[in-house]
Amino acid sequence: MLGFACICKSLNDNGCFKTTTIKYLSKLDKSSQIKKLRSIAVDNLYNTSKILEWCAENGIFLYRMSSDLIPLATYYEDWHWWEDADILKQCDNIKTASQNKGIRISMHPDQFCVLNSEKSNVVENSIKILQYHNRLSCLTGNKLLVLHVGSSAGGKKTAMERFSANFKMLDTDIKTKLALENDDKVFTALDVLGLCETLGIPMVLDLHHYRCRNEGEDLSALRARIIKTWQKKKPKLHLSSGRAYDTDRSHADYITPEDYKMATDFAGNDFDIMLECKEKDLALLRLVK
DNA sequence: CTCGGTCAAGGATAC
DNA sequence: GTATCCTTGACCGAG
């Protein structure tokens, strides 16, 4: 099963997400700020359920929700967006749509969520980011948060130990949603697999990151172990093509036929494949065609 | 209307 | 320490 992330280019009016900035909001009075934030959140959540409907109509049952549905969610702590009736209604629509249509959803906290940072304020903020994702996940029925290990400061071993220690301090509710993904600069598939096995969480294999960064490990030898980390859930891998060349870390607009074949050969019927490319759903439709 | 500078946030690197 | 890059896409606002 193929899926795509966030933006849906096929939907002109409902396929994208709004946002705002602190700088802009600071020019408004408090009530206008909240009004603006609410309006953006409701629109973004509404668009997400529209995208889910579009997915079902187009035979797509795998989708990653945007992390930026609630604007400035971890900044405006006095704005209790999760107590807003309109927002709750929209979240419930997403939950119902994904469950009724059988769409497997996930989220992927961005680069600012560095749980293993050496800076305590960064760790605290990362936990806030995870709490936000968890809260939104609970309301929308999402059960999977895909994360990178993060910083490599102090060396890989120390950095992974920091990750484990901080992971263990998280709420159980968050821990049961987390999965870890290998990255393209530091933590290899083997590094992340070992960490996932130790922590008892699923591993998302990113094939492009593996291509950019590996220590010669043989993926076919890791395949069964990776699947095992998912227990009864459907394992997932990420696929993208390099923009300018194979190991270019920048993502291309589309997936090359060669990369798609490589991924499907590896995945068989055992893995869902999440596409990461600029043209999103359009790239997926091209592959299916 | 169009286009470009700007934006909460981290990390790594080079100087 | 500080500057700069990596890198996303939506937005404001100048023209």
Side-chain angles (χ1 to χ4, degrees):
Chain A
M1 176 54 62
L2 290 175
F4 67 98
C6 306
I7 294 172
C8 179
K9 297 215 166 192
S10 300
L11 285 173
N12 295 325
D13 297 329
N14 300 110
C16 57
F17 305 99
K18 295 185 170 75
T19 188
T20 188
T21 61
I22 287 165
K23 192 156 185 171
Y24 173 73
L25 284 184
S26 67
K27 295 177 202 160
L28 308 177
D29 62 55
K30 193 75 183 177
S31 80
S32 303
Q33 291 177 358
I34 302 297
K35 197 173 164 191
K36 172 95 178 166
L37 292 166
R38 280 191 71 233
S39 146
I40 292 173
V42 169
D43 281 356
N44 288 348
L45 293 164
Y46 174 79
N47 284 1
T48 299
S49 49
K50 282 291 168 193
I51 292 172
L52 291 175
E53 283 174 24
W54 181 88
C55 284
E57 286 162 10
N58 288 273
I60 297 167
F61 298 96
L62 189 69
Y63 175 69
R64 179 196 300 167
M65 296 198 291
S66 167
S67 282
D68 301 319
L69 295 175
I70 310 293
L72 306 176
T74 58
Y75 186 83
Y76 267 83
E77 292 180 315
D78 52 344
W79 176 44
H80 290 192
W81 57 268
W82 57 91
E83 291 170 356
D84 182 295
D86 291 339
I87 289 176
L88 288 174
K89 181 77 174 69
Q90 293 299 332
C91 287
D92 200 54
N93 286 347
I94 292 171
K95 187 178 193 172
T96 307
S98 70
Q99 286 175 355
N100 289 353
K101 298 172 193 306
I103 300 173
R104 291 193 279 283
I105 53 176
S106 63
M107 295 184 81
H108 196 342
D110 66 16
Q111 59 174 323
F112 299 114
C113 184
V114 185
L115 190 60
N116 74 339
S117 174
E118 286 186 310
K119 301 173 192 164
S120 61
N121 62 315
V122 174
V123 174
E124 280 166 30
N125 194 48
S126 300
I127 292 172
K128 279 185 199 167
I129 294 173
L130 289 176
Q131 286 168 338
Y132 152 68
H133 279 84
N134 184 52
R135 202 187 284 277
L136 188 57
S137 294
C138 290
L139 295 172
T140 56
N142 176 45
K143 295 183 175 61
L144 185 65
L145 299 176
V146 181
L147 204 62
H148 289 286
V149 180
S151 163
S152 64
K156 280 204 301 197
K157 186 169 179 290
T158 313
M160 288 195 285
E161 284 166 2
R162 279 201 307 275
F163 185 91
S164 294
N166 291 346
F167 173 89
K168 284 167 188 163
M169 294 192 305
L170 296 171
D171 295 340
T172 303
D173 208 23
I174 296 177
K175 283 192 280 197
T176 54
K177 290 186 180 70
L178 284 182
L180 275 176
E181 172 187 351
N182 57 306
D183 66 65
D184 52 10
K185 284 199 286 199
V186 182
F187 299 100
T188 65
L190 186 56
D191 293 331
V192 175
L193 177 57
L195 197 48
C196 286
E197 286 172 340
T198 305
L199 298 174
I201 61 176
M203 174 187 173
V204 174
L205 174 66
D206 187 308
L207 290 171
H208 185 59
H209 291 167
Y210 167 79
R211 176 161 57 191
C212 295
R213 163 80 184 137
N214 65 74
E215 291 174 342
E217 62 266 50
D218 176 11
L219 281 190
S220 59
L222 303 183
R223 194 176 183 281
R225 282 172 62 191
I226 293 171
I227 291 172
K228 200 175 175 191
T229 64
W230 288 83
Q231 298 182 27
K232 289 181 179 161
K233 283 191 261 186
K234 181 82 173 182
K236 177 185 331 222
L237 58 80
H238 289 175
L239 175 65
S240 50
S241 291
R243 172 159 286 279
Y245 48 93
D246 266 0
T247 54
D248 186 349
R249 291 170 43 224
S250 303
H251 291 170
D253 291 347
Y254 290 90
I255 305 295
T256 66
E258 297 75 26
D259 287 346
Y260 182 56
K261 183 176 188 314
M262 178 265 293
T264 50
D265 284 349
F266 180 86
N269 290 320
D270 296 323
F271 288 83
D272 281 335
I273 301 176
M274 173 59 70
L275 305 181
E276 295 182 319
C277 49
K278 308 288 180 193
E279 293 300 318
K280 311 291 184 184
D281 53 304
L282 301 181
L284 193 159
L285 294 176
R286 183 181 282 189
L287 290 178
V288 173
K289 200 167 148 194

